[in-house]
mmCIF file of all heavy atoms in Angstrom:
data_model
loop_
_atom_site.group_PDB
_atom_site.id
_atom_site.type_symbol
_atom_site.label_atom_id
_atom_site.label_comp_id
_atom_site.label_asym_id
_atom_site.label_seq_id
_atom_site.Cartn_x
_atom_site.Cartn_y
_atom_site.Cartn_z
ATOM 1 N N ASN K 571 3.822 -14.834 43.693
ATOM 2 C CA ASN K 571 4.645 -16.016 43.833
ATOM 3 C C ASN K 571 6.149 -15.683 43.522
ATOM 4 O O ASN K 571 7.033 -16.041 44.282
ATOM 5 C CB ASN K 571 4.192 -17.114 42.953
ATOM 6 C CG ASN K 571 4.747 -18.495 43.319
ATOM 7 O OD1 ASN K 571 4.996 -18.715 44.459
ATOM 8 N ND2 ASN K 571 4.928 -19.338 42.338
ATOM 9 N N THR O 547 1.891 -27.495 51.935
ATOM 10 C CA THR O 547 3.272 -27.769 51.649
ATOM 11 C C THR O 547 3.670 -27.299 50.230
ATOM 12 O O THR O 547 2.998 -27.602 49.297
ATOM 13 C CB THR O 547 3.538 -29.313 51.795
ATOM 14 O OG1 THR O 547 3.139 -29.716 53.117
ATOM 15 C CG2 THR O 547 4.994 -29.651 51.587
ATOM 16 N N GLU O 548 4.810 -26.550 50.209
ATOM 17 C CA GLU O 548 5.353 -25.998 49.014
ATOM 18 C C GLU O 548 5.416 -27.030 47.877
ATOM 19 O O GLU O 548 5.956 -28.133 48.093
ATOM 20 C CB GLU O 548 6.813 -25.556 49.361
ATOM 21 C CG GLU O 548 7.400 -24.525 48.452
ATOM 22 C CD GLU O 548 8.834 -24.174 48.905
ATOM 23 O OE1 GLU O 548 9.203 -24.498 50.049
ATOM 24 O OE2 GLU O 548 9.523 -23.600 48.113
ATOM 25 N N GLY O 549 4.942 -26.670 46.675
ATOM 26 C CA GLY O 549 5.003 -27.560 45.592
ATOM 27 C C GLY O 549 3.785 -28.474 45.400
ATOM 28 O O GLY O 549 3.534 -28.992 44.344
ATOM 29 N N ASN O 550 2.987 -28.652 46.486
ATOM 30 C CA ASN O 550 1.830 -29.488 46.367
ATOM 31 C C ASN O 550 0.642 -28.765 45.674
ATOM 32 O O ASN O 550 0.584 -27.508 45.705
ATOM 33 C CB ASN O 550 1.348 -29.912 47.756
ATOM 34 C CG ASN O 550 2.246 -31.021 48.363
ATOM 35 O OD1 ASN O 550 3.263 -31.356 47.790
ATOM 36 N ND2 ASN O 550 1.809 -31.532 49.501
ATOM 37 N N ALA O 551 -0.218 -29.548 45.128
ATOM 38 C CA ALA O 551 -1.477 -28.976 44.624
ATOM 39 C C ALA O 551 -2.360 -28.656 45.803
ATOM 40 O O ALA O 551 -2.200 -29.166 46.911
ATOM 41 C CB ALA O 551 -2.164 -29.964 43.700
ATOM 42 N N ILE O 552 -3.297 -27.750 45.613
ATOM 43 C CA ILE O 552 -4.214 -27.385 46.673
ATOM 44 C C ILE O 552 -5.627 -27.506 46.099
ATOM 45 O O ILE O 552 -5.840 -27.204 44.929
ATOM 46 C CB ILE O 552 -3.920 -25.989 47.186
ATOM 47 C CG1 ILE O 552 -4.614 -25.744 48.521
ATOM 48 C CG2 ILE O 552 -4.374 -24.926 46.182
ATOM 49 C CD1 ILE O 552 -4.162 -24.405 49.152
ATOM 50 N N ARG O 589 -3.986 -17.566 46.384
ATOM 51 C CA ARG O 589 -3.091 -17.339 45.325
ATOM 52 C C ARG O 589 -2.921 -18.558 44.406
ATOM 53 O O ARG O 589 -2.998 -18.478 43.179
ATOM 54 C CB ARG O 589 -1.688 -16.957 45.856
ATOM 55 C CG ARG O 589 -0.765 -16.351 44.782
ATOM 56 C CD ARG O 589 0.711 -16.628 45.107
ATOM 57 N NE ARG O 589 0.990 -18.054 45.063
ATOM 58 C CZ ARG O 589 1.168 -18.767 43.943
ATOM 59 N NH1 ARG O 589 1.099 -18.163 42.758
ATOM 60 N NH2 ARG O 589 1.419 -20.025 43.977
ATOM 61 N N SER O 590 -2.748 -19.680 45.058
ATOM 62 C CA SER O 590 -2.590 -20.928 44.280
ATOM 63 C C SER O 590 -3.850 -21.291 43.524
ATOM 64 O O SER O 590 -3.768 -21.744 42.372
ATOM 65 C CB SER O 590 -2.167 -22.039 45.267
ATOM 66 O OG SER O 590 -2.086 -23.264 44.622
ATOM 67 N N SER O 593 -4.179 -18.803 40.438
ATOM 68 C CA SER O 593 -3.200 -18.923 39.338
ATOM 69 C C SER O 593 -3.100 -20.352 38.829
ATOM 70 O O SER O 593 -2.383 -20.650 37.902
ATOM 71 C CB SER O 593 -1.807 -18.453 39.823
ATOM 72 O OG SER O 593 -1.330 -19.293 40.797
ATOM 73 N N ASP O 594 -3.836 -21.277 39.523
ATOM 74 C CA ASP O 594 -3.792 -22.680 39.113
ATOM 75 C C ASP O 594 -2.374 -23.195 39.134
ATOM 76 O O ASP O 594 -2.013 -24.005 38.302
ATOM 77 C CB ASP O 594 -4.381 -22.836 37.708
ATOM 78 C CG ASP O 594 -5.353 -23.970 37.696
ATOM 79 O OD1 ASP O 594 -5.369 -24.747 38.654
ATOM 80 O OD2 ASP O 594 -6.129 -24.127 36.695
ATOM 81 N N GLU O 595 -1.567 -22.702 40.097
ATOM 82 C CA GLU O 595 -0.217 -23.185 40.259
ATOM 83 C C GLU O 595 -0.129 -23.946 41.550
ATOM 84 O O GLU O 595 -1.003 -23.807 42.423
ATOM 85 C CB GLU O 595 0.752 -21.965 40.317
ATOM 86 C CG GLU O 595 0.910 -21.203 39.032
ATOM 87 C CD GLU O 595 1.694 -19.909 39.206
ATOM 88 O OE1 GLU O 595 1.636 -19.324 40.304
ATOM 89 O OE2 GLU O 595 2.365 -19.482 38.264
ATOM 90 N N PRO O 596 0.911 -24.738 41.734
ATOM 91 C CA PRO O 596 1.095 -25.416 43.037
ATOM 92 C C PRO O 596 1.276 -24.379 44.133
ATOM 93 O O PRO O 596 1.595 -23.195 43.860
ATOM 94 C CB PRO O 596 2.357 -26.212 42.875
ATOM 95 C CG PRO O 596 2.580 -26.338 41.400
ATOM 96 C CD PRO O 596 1.939 -25.140 40.798
ATOM 97 N N VAL O 597 1.090 -24.803 45.344
ATOM 98 C CA VAL O 597 1.313 -23.883 46.469
ATOM 99 C C VAL O 597 2.762 -23.478 46.506
ATOM 100 O O VAL O 597 3.678 -24.279 46.248
ATOM 101 C CB VAL O 597 0.998 -24.643 47.809
ATOM 102 C CG1 VAL O 597 1.396 -23.859 49.037
ATOM 103 C CG2 VAL O 597 -0.478 -25.023 47.879
ATOM 104 N N GLY O 598 2.988 -22.167 46.777
ATOM 105 C CA GLY O 598 4.359 -21.640 46.747
ATOM 106 C C GLY O 598 5.057 -21.632 48.100
ATOM 107 O O GLY O 598 6.302 -21.495 48.211
ATOM 108 N N LEU O 599 4.290 -21.807 49.156
ATOM 109 C CA LEU O 599 4.845 -21.657 50.506
ATOM 110 C C LEU O 599 4.365 -22.785 51.376
ATOM 111 O O LEU O 599 3.260 -23.325 51.208
ATOM 112 C CB LEU O 599 4.331 -20.308 51.102
ATOM 113 C CG LEU O 599 4.701 -19.045 50.381
ATOM 114 C CD1 LEU O 599 3.906 -17.875 50.976
ATOM 115 C CD2 LEU O 599 6.162 -18.777 50.412
#
Side-chain angles (χ1 to χ4, degrees):
Chain K
N571 196 31
Chain O
T547 302
E548 201 180 345
N550 284 7
I552 195 172
R589 194 210 63 80
S590 177
S593 66
D594 226 348
E595 292 170 329
V597 172
L599 302 168

